[in-house]
Every structure is written in C-alpha cells, then in structure tokens.
C-alpha cells in the first residue's frame, strides 16, 4: 500500500486560531516564501525519495 505525508493546507481553518493567516501580516516575507514553494518549487525529487513504509496510506487521506 502506497504511503504519503498528510498534506498541509495553510488556508485550512484551525480551531485556534481560525486561520494561520490571522497571525501573519499581509506583507510578511513568509507569505512570499509560501507562494514560491506552492507555485515554483519542484518537490518531486524530494517526495520521490520517501519510499519507506512510514506515513499515512493514500486511502485514508481520501486521495
């Protein structure tokens, strides 16, 4: 059974705070970094190196 990391959704609402974005100012450099990672960074080589039996099965994640 294939395993993957649980996806992290920065925009997903949390119990406290309601959103991670509530603590991050609009002009903070971290927003630029998240944007670059989401849109520009090819993580396929990194993700491809994780082939161990650890992690969550894809079926649990609804993928």
């Amino acid at each position: 059974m294939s395993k993957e990391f649980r996806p992290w959704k920065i925009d997903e609402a949390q119990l406290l705070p309601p959103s991670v974005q509530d603590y991050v100012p609009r002009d903070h450099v971290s927003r630029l970094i998240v944007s670059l990672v989401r849109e520009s960074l090819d993580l396929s080589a990194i993700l491809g190196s994780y082939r161990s039996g650890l992690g969550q099965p894809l079926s649990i994640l609804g993928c």
Side-chain angles (χ1 to χ4, degrees):
M1 182 178 292
S2 178
K3 308 247 179 165
E4 287 284 326
F5 290 107
R6 288 184 182 203
W8 177 55
K9 300 173 187 163
I10 194 169
D11 301 319
E12 185 173 17
Q14 306 288 317
L15 178 60
L16 291 173
S19 171
V20 175
Q21 301 296 337
D22 290 346
Y23 285 133
V24 181
R26 288 244 177 247
D27 59 346
H28 196 275
V29 69
S30 64
R31 290 185 184 259
L32 172 64
I33 293 168
V34 167
S35 176
L36 289 173
V37 169
R38 281 181 169 173
E39 298 170 11
S40 304
L41 193 59
D42 179 10
L43 298 175
S44 60
I46 295 170
L47 295 174
S49 68
Y50 288 96
R51 296 292 179 209
S52 74
L54 303 175
Q56 295 292 322
L58 289 175
S59 60
I60 288 176
L61 300 175
C63 296

